[in-house]
Amino acid sequence: MNIGMFESFVTGHWFSSEAKRLWSDVATLQAWLDVEAALARAQAGLGIVPADAAATIATKADARLFDLPRLAHDIAFAQHPLVPVLHQFEGLCGEPAAGYIHWGATTQNIFDTASALQMRRTHRLLAGHLDAAIAALGRLALAERDTPMAGRTHGQHALPMTFGFKLAGWIDELDRDRRRLHERLAPSFVACMGGAIGTFAAMGEAGREVEARLAALLKLQPAGLPARSSYDRASDYIASLALLAGTAQKIAQDLAFMQRTEIGEAAEAFHMGKVGSSTMAQKRNPSTALLLASLARLLRARVPPALEAMVRMDEGDSSATNVTDTLLPEIAIIATSVAETLARLAEGLVVHRAAMRRNLDLTQGLIVAEAAMMQLTRLMGRHEAHRLLYEAAQRAQSEGLPFMVAIAEHPRLAAEGVPPGLKQALEPSAYVGASAAITEEVVARATAQRPAA
Amino acid sequence: MNIGMFESFVTGHWFSSEAKRLWSDVATLQAWLDVEAALARAQAGLGIVPADAAATIATKADARLFDLPRLAHDIAFAQHPLVPVLHQFEGLCGEPAAGYIHWGATTQNIFDTASALQMRRTHRLLAGHLDAAIAALGRLALAERDTPMAGRTHGQHALPMTFGFKLAGWIDELDRDRRRLHERLAPSFVACMGGAIGTFAAMGEAGREVEARLAALLKLQPAGLPARSSYDRASDYIASLALLAGTAQKIAQDLAFMQRTEIGEAAEAFHMGKVGSSTMAQKRNPSTALLLASLARLLRARVPPALEAMVRMDEGDSSATNVTDTLLPEIAIIATSVAETLARLAEGLVVHRAAMRRNLDLTQGLIVAEAAMMQLTRLMGRHEAHRLLYEAAQRAQSEGLPFMVAIAEHPRLAAEGVPPGLKQALEPSAYVGASAAITEEVVARATAQRPAA
Amino acid sequence: MNIGMFESFVTGHWFSSEAKRLWSDVATLQAWLDVEAALARAQAGLGIVPADAAATIATKADARLFDLPRLAHDIAFAQHPLVPVLHQFEGLCGEPAAGYIHWGATTQNIFDTASALQMRRTHRLLAGHLDAAIAALGRLALAERDTPMAGRTHGQHALPMTFGFKLAGWIDELDRDRRRLHERLAPSFVACMGGAIGTFAAMGEAGREVEARLAALLKLQPAGLPARSSYDRASDYIASLALLAGTAQKIAQDLAFMQRTEIGEAAEAFHMGKVGSSTMAQKRNPSTALLLASLARLLRARVPPALEAMVRMDEGDSSATNVTDTLLPEIAIIATSVAETLARLAEGLVVHRAAMRRNLDLTQGLIVAEAAMMQLTRLMGRHEAHRLLYEAAQRAQSEGLPFMVAIAEHPRLAAEGVPPGLKQALEPSAYVGASAAITEEVVARATAQRPAA
Amino acid sequence: MNIGMFESFVTGHWFSSEAKRLWSDVATLQAWLDVEAALARAQAGLGIVPADAAATIATKADARLFDLPRLAHDIAFAQHPLVPVLHQFEGLCGEPAAGYIHWGATTQNIFDTASALQMRRTHRLLAGHLDAAIAALGRLALAERDTPMAGRTHGQHALPMTFGFKLAGWIDELDRDRRRLHERLAPSFVACMGGAIGTFAAMGEAGREVEARLAALLKLQPAGLPARSSYDRASDYIASLALLAGTAQKIAQDLAFMQRTEIGEAAEAFHMGKVGSSTMAQKRNPSTALLLASLARLLRARVPPALEAMVRMDEGDSSATNVTDTLLPEIAIIATSVAETLARLAEGLVVHRAAMRRNLDLTQGLIVAEAAMMQLTRLMGRHEAHRLLYEAAQRAQSEGLPFMVAIAEHPRLAAEGVPPGLKQALEPSAYVGASAAITEEVVARATAQRPAA
């Protein structure tokens, strides 16, 4: 019985299958067991548990040896998520090793450290998709470095730019998103082994050394003060994912607009067999872009409960950890899917330069009113120049005239004559500013060799 | 491979198994088929499709006849959630009936109407648990109608009340939550059959009559204006569920406090074998209450994306419907689980009257300062009375004196003498106001025979 | 020193000045005093306080008599929001009346009941603007009942409709929003007078009768069980406002799209002197629509904290009431401004029918592919019809052909001949379904005489 | 007429008056003018505007010279937030300088760069309060390094710890919050001067150099690609403030619990004259802690709209910038107030060691069940040890026995005898683990000399 969006026959394909595998029941159990094995090994190195026991524990720390349906049943009965796992684990190890499993640890230590391992794997996956998206957008940006199109603010044509410049804006933001995630991964997901309340009481003097060695074995940072009621670290990475979601949704929305029937400046990949509608045979929907927007919303919506769940009673509070324990896998899968979908969208993008040019010319010059403004300002001051152009522009719009005609016919210029160079200034493709240079710089910076995560 | 909290071996048992069944893949597909069958039947009644075809369609509208894995595969390829279902359905029906399936409908019509059927079933389940919770709390309230305990504001003892009164406050709020859901179910989840944009164009003149008959067959209200880009109706019910979540979390939080080691006034059901900790053998955690609080948070967190997804482009927008199509099943399952967990918590509650009395007496009379205030105000005005009692109370707290002693020793009363009746006023159990009467009224109102949903 | 968006020189004009007046310091203080006066009057009627005292209290219950700056100072010192008000009030009344002020009430009783009065006034203001918006949209809908335009889903042309039908969809949703607010106002904002924890202890037997009489005097419903830690009632109205925000933002977004440079189907009111940009003289931005979207977001964002603040400790919890006491005025002002801005936008809307027609014809017939589908399905079954039209449509799009040409040239029809009537079916304005009828019905329903709130 | 929580006579004192001053109308206008002056100066340095003009502009860039009420009026009429300011500014400068004001800039450039200046000032204020809070908590932690108290999980006694250790947990988290804010300030709030869509078109070749020089003059980082529709940078700092809010609310909630009537382990500063209730004279509420929790909620609630407002149409979108332009001042003021309130709370905290000890002993040894567990595990394996102690603990709780008695009487030990050392293990103050060492380390790290922001 499939339940929930990740495995549903309708929506399962929205989500990264690799990310789902990383957070499946089996993978989660295995991550717990990996932590238990590393704990025993760290403790054996300090003489806290016998080396033999640690070796047995490591050998049996294999999720395939466990009876998952029985675990599910026993967990429901005990109303404790780990004790039944430990029981099966003890059975697999046998005495005396069984006695040394989970020595001095508390359940949440295992969960938090295991999820750090899972998040690191998730991050690699996600970062790979992000790299691919940036690379694809970067190639496109260089190819369209000089393609003029309308820049739009508040839904209205504002100034010309190039499509490369538009893409550079997305790349720049994605690059910052990626850098934030790289930098914050390690401090956000740490190894915690302080026991029930973080005092290391059960391990005596050696506690912090055990945590440090465990962390080293797992290639994580040690928590140091492993407070279970502290979730700011993970929340920081989660909040950074929300920024990625914001960027992705912005890109998705812009592309859905560019594919609008009336705009037609870009289109996402299409294959025969892709269906837009059960009755409207003509439909080529920007379904990948809209899916990306949906995934971004699903991701962003999960940030407020994570932030709220930072607020925890005393030294531990399952009303909060229940929330974050179930939220983190969802966030991990959705975030990876955002990056994967973004890469797919970027890689398949089709550009229609002619449509860009057609749209750019729609306003018959109004889109370069600023260029005229800059010229007239030198002549008559910015206030006066704005008044003249404002009047000419409103008349051009009301009467459907080319802007140049309206300017030339404005009482003031009709008398004084049109200043030289103004006509040339009204060629949109000549007023794209530093579009090309910025495009090249941003692409170079974002696609430079980066150090591995 | 289990993924996601609903089926996870760790957390699957948090969620109502009946609700999960209502929203499984098979149940969802069946709901779609039920709508397709009803559509054909409604159209047959109006002579739009042949009666034979409608009969065949109804016969084959059985999810067990479909190949779900193939559906999942085809949906991923077509990137359309319904067309592959229609293909299999056509294959099952054969011509000529196949040609009349889904006549004049659009995908979202089927999804929205099917989810209305599923939400009605969910509502019944949820309402049953809510009734059980209210009934259990009602029995307890009557039993504890006169049990005095401390009323607390801002974490401090404020005034005495009875435990029955406290329970009555919860019941009153739950009763309002329940009434809102009952009243809003039908207008929130309606039958929509207006086609791609809601104009009924594909069905010609008969469109609205088809929708009306379909609605009647399914015992739903017709949408009337079946705008696909309108989601205020469902959002209203969803927002009302957030109010239930608020109530449930408030109750959960109060009970977790009452079970605090130092308070001990109530405890949730315990059975030998329920484990509080993997190392701390003594732990009897309020795990059901804290789970309830978690579920309430999971539910509440899903309201903002539903409200945001009301904002939809034009006549249809999958960036929003993708969100609500995946959100609604989650909301349905979690909400039912909130009600189910609340009922279980209420039914197992154990009350410790002695602890309530012990806590009530902790402040040696300060908790009834208001009673003294009411008496002294008659004597010396409220301003003066507040000053005298404020000074006495602060002294009582600083020096650990019984409040009566501090009052009697206050300079003004030391001179004038303590007014008669003041001592009696300082017996906490005498100052519970209308606790008992309110308890009885609320319980009577909330447990009266209600009309079926 | 102006601080905060309501009074800022930049953004103050976004907000309804009448709503701001209803929630100014003076108006809030007056509302408190109105409640205190009504309380004394209710108690005088029951012989609890002397009639003379009640009369004095009523006379002095006038915010203009208070020293607001001193109040602000004393409140900061006492860290209590009402006690300093009571002190000044006592000074104004003099003994013996002073002794009967606020008899048996708690601060939050006054605040909650006073805010009920303020919310009722706010509701009237808001409802007036909503009526105006619906009326303006209704007039427009009737005028554009038959104006054909493109219906769009997922940003792509889907089917034709009329502009009247589009407006009807908005009106229908606004009408539901309005009805919900009307119905929920009274049960959401009630008179509470149960004292510190709601037991009416300070008023003895008469407590609930005092609350009932107070409620009657203020024309509010009595709370009955006046739990201070219960906020579901107000939250319900607040959540309903979020639905209004969703509708408003949807409308705003659609209009901003329709005013897009490339679309040009509608424009908001413009006056000479309205400036779109400091440098781009041509800019006519849909600034009212975008402001409406912003206000809707500001409103919607305030719902989650209101829902979270339902969760309150025990019998009173200022960590929650602080939030809702400051949130409610913001919500009230912003919601009124949403309705006011929506009305202004609706009243000034300019329609460009020619642009609607031009856009409708852009796809050379593809927009009525469904009409062809309905005809061909009768001939060859839906599966086959979809295949044929899908192929023809994709070819039409790839090669820029009129749809009818691509259909006629499709191998199957090239052989069999084009069925009669198909050409006529491809006239967009003939395939608007029940657009006109629905427009008329919805407008009639939404603008019918409604009972006063 | 005061409207809004920042200036309300009731709640104005909740908010940092210095932060309010930084975001008043006058301060905002001044920040705009500071940017305009720096822009002119940067351009003069490059020969774009005459040096004289830049000097005049700098001289007149003084908010006190402006007519604010007239500005408010003109802005409402023009529906543009800056053009009326420029008009007054031009009047003040006179020609020819007037013609060089705002050269090549767009309104949002000025707003964004000005708010960067205001945020830097806000950050310093906030950081100062955060330093004070950490210093106060640090002093307290060292003083209470060895004070034993109950560690609690899920509301139940879990293990002993010291109060210093608890404080260290808070300090550690606050220190991370502070470090994040320090590191993210500069990259979050940058100088942007790219013109209407970020292409620098109006400034020709020199555009990016102007931005770089402007940034240097204002000691900000240049945006580089100054996309107006990119808000991830500011959102990152805002999201980091939400982490601070989470920490603050957690601390506030813990302290409110510790001050509970039944717990009494800590209390916030109290002064005679501080009033807890208008009728309950005894009330000493944790009003500062609860205010802190409220402020944290107000802050956290403002993060989702900031994240949502990252999603912006095309090259500029006032439906989003309207939101963030009004949100940022609110966030700045509330965040500073969170830090200020936290410092005040920390500085006034009173500790009741005797109550801590009394509570620690409440369970008669159960709180150190883990200590017994660690000892017995060596003897009989963890499974058997857990079973024995679980049975003894449940019996101790059911019958109210000291834990040691229940252990000793357990059938297995009754036969075998109690192992030596077990009794000593059950002294709570001996089982606080690394509490003291961790306290010292954390305080040393968090109060070490930090580099200036």
Side-chain angles (χ1 to χ4, degrees), chain B residues 9 11 19 21-22 98 104 107 128 161 169 178 181 199 219 266 283 287 303 305 310 326 332 376 406 416 431 434 451:
Chain B
F9 75 111
T11 57
R21 217 165 5 245
L22 289 182
T107 300
M161 61 180 183
R178 180 174 60 177
L181 293 170
T199 57
K219 298 190 173 45
K283 282 302 232 57
S287 51
V303 171
M310 273 184 67
T326 52
L376 293 185
E416 296 181 13
Y431 198 71

Side-chain angles (χ1 to χ4, degrees), chain A residues 90 152 154 166 173 176 180 184 199 208 230 232 236 250 254 312 314-316 382 434 441, chain D residues 90 152 154 166 173 176 180 184 199 208 230 232 236 250 254 314-316 318 382 434 441:
Chain A
E90 287 161 3
R152 298 160 172 114
H154 320 309
K166 186 178 183 72
E173 192 168 317
R176 285 194 295 271
R180 279 188 286 259
R184 296 173 192 177
T199 57
R208 277 178 298 161
S230 192
D232 65 294
D236 187 31
K250 188 260 184 292
D254 273 9
R312 298 168 174 213
D314 315 321
E315 283 62 62
R382 67 183 311 287
E441 283 173 22
Chain D
E90 288 161 3
R152 299 160 171 114
H154 319 309
K166 185 178 184 74
E173 192 169 318
R176 284 193 296 271
R180 278 188 286 258
R184 296 173 192 177
T199 56
R208 277 177 299 159
S230 192
D232 64 296
D236 188 32
K250 188 262 183 293
D254 273 9
D314 316 318
E315 283 62 63
S318 69
R382 66 183 311 286
E441 283 172 21

Side-chain angles (χ1 to χ4, degrees), chain A residues 233-267:
Chain A
R233 295 188 247 225
S235 294
D236 187 31
Y237 188 89
I238 293 172
S240 305
L241 285 175
L243 302 185
L244 171 62
T247 309
Q249 191 177 347
K250 188 260 184 292
I251 294 174
Q253 184 176 289
D254 273 9
L255 283 174
F257 170 71
M258 291 176 75
Q259 187 166 345
R260 284 266 195 181
T261 306
E262 290 86 357
I263 311 299
E265 298 180 351

Side-chain angles (χ1 to χ4, degrees), chain A residues 271-289:
Chain A
H271 59 265
M272 284 301 282
K274 181 174 170 184
V275 177
S277 158
S278 56
T279 55
M280 298 171 291
Q282 86 279 13
K283 281 305 230 54
R284 284 195 194 175
N285 293 324
S287 51
T288 306

Side-chain angles (χ1 to χ4, degrees), chain C residues 133-180:
Chain C
I134 290 175
L137 293 172
R139 283 189 301 272
L140 200 59
L142 293 181
E144 308 294 334
R145 193 191 58 180
D146 300 311
T147 309
M149 69 178 292
R152 299 161 171 112
T153 58
H154 319 310
Q156 299 296 303
H157 283 196
L159 285 181
M161 62 181 183
T162 72
F163 185 40
F165 174 77
K166 186 177 184 71
L167 292 162
W170 300 350
I171 293 168
D172 202 37
E173 192 168 318
L174 283 171
D175 191 31
R176 286 193 296 270
D177 291 327
R178 179 174 61 178
R179 194 172 329 120
R180 279 188 285 260

Side-chain angles (χ1 to χ4, degrees), chain C residues 86-142:
Chain C
L86 296 176
H87 282 193
Q88 283 199 23
F89 202 8
E90 287 162 5
L92 289 167
C93 289
E95 296 295 347
Y100 295 102
I101 294 171
H102 193 64
W103 187 265
T106 202
T107 300
Q108 203 65 31
N109 292 162
I110 305 301
F111 284 10
D112 287 342
T113 309
S115 71
L117 297 176
Q118 288 171 288
M119 282 307 297
R120 187 173 56 201
R121 288 175 204 133
T122 302
H123 174 81
R124 280 186 196 141
L125 205 52
L126 186 159
H129 291 305
L130 221 41
D131 291 347
I134 290 175
L137 293 172
R139 283 189 301 272
L140 200 59
L142 293 181

Side-chain angles (χ1 to χ4, degrees), chain A residues 48 83 86-87 90 95 98-105 149-156 158-162 165-166 168-170 172-173 176-177 180 184 187 195-204 208 223-233 235-236 239-240 242-247 249-250 253-254 257 300 303-304 307-319 321 370 373-374 377-378 380-383 386 431-435 437-438 441-442 445, chain D residues 48 83 86-87 90 95 98-105 149-156 158-162 165-166 168-170 172-173 176-177 180 184 187 195-204 208 223-233 235-236 239-240 242-247 249-250 253-254 257 300 303-304 307-319 321 370 373-374 377-378 380-383 386 431-435 437-438 441-442 445:
Chain A
I48 298 173
V83 163
L86 295 176
H87 283 193
E90 287 161 3
E95 296 297 346
Y100 295 101
I101 294 171
H102 193 65
W103 187 266
M149 70 177 292
R152 298 160 172 114
T153 58
H154 320 309
Q156 299 295 304
L159 285 181
M161 61 180 185
T162 71
F165 174 77
K166 186 178 183 72
W170 300 349
D172 202 37
E173 192 168 317
R176 285 194 295 271
D177 291 328
R180 279 188 286 259
R184 296 173 192 177
I197 59 169
T199 57
F200 296 98
M203 298 194 210
R208 277 178 298 161
L225 198 171
R228 285 173 51 187
S229 58
S230 192
Y231 203 69
D232 65 294
R233 295 188 247 225
S235 294
D236 187 31
S240 305
L243 302 185
L244 171 62
T247 309
Q249 191 177 347
K250 188 260 184 292
Q253 184 176 289
D254 273 9
F257 170 71
R300 193 151 43 76
V303 171
L307 296 178
E308 187 190 334
M310 274 184 66
V311 183
R312 298 168 174 213
M313 288 191 296
D314 315 321
E315 283 62 62
D317 179 357
S318 67
S319 78
T321 45
E370 187 190 271
M373 172 85 178
M374 296 312 288
T377 294
R378 292 180 198 277
M380 56 184 81
R382 67 183 311 287
H383 192 50
H386 193 276
Y431 199 71
V432 298
S435 288
I438 288 178
E441 283 173 22
V442 166
R445 187 169 61 235
Chain D
I48 298 173
V83 164
L86 296 176
H87 282 192
E90 288 161 3
E95 294 300 343
Y100 296 102
I101 294 171
H102 194 63
W103 188 265
M149 70 177 291
R152 299 160 171 114
T153 58
H154 319 309
Q156 300 294 304
L159 286 181
M161 62 180 182
T162 72
F165 173 77
K166 185 178 184 74
W170 299 349
D172 202 37
E173 192 169 318
R176 284 193 296 271
D177 292 328
R180 278 188 286 258
R184 296 173 192 177
I197 59 168
T199 56
F200 296 98
M203 298 193 210
R208 277 177 299 159
L225 198 171
R228 285 172 54 187
S229 58
S230 192
Y231 204 69
D232 64 296
R233 298 187 244 226
S235 294
D236 188 32
S240 306
L243 302 184
L244 172 62
T247 309
Q249 190 176 348
K250 188 262 183 293
Q253 185 176 290
D254 273 9
F257 171 71
R300 194 151 40 77
V303 171
L307 296 178
E308 187 191 334
M310 274 184 67
V311 183
R312 296 167 175 215
M313 287 191 295
D314 316 318
E315 283 62 63
D317 179 356
S318 69
S319 78
T321 46
E370 187 190 89
M373 172 83 179
M374 295 312 289
T377 293
R378 292 179 196 279
M380 57 184 79
R382 66 183 311 286
H383 191 50
H386 193 277
Y431 198 70
V432 297
S435 288
I438 287 177
E441 283 172 21
V442 167
R445 188 170 59 234

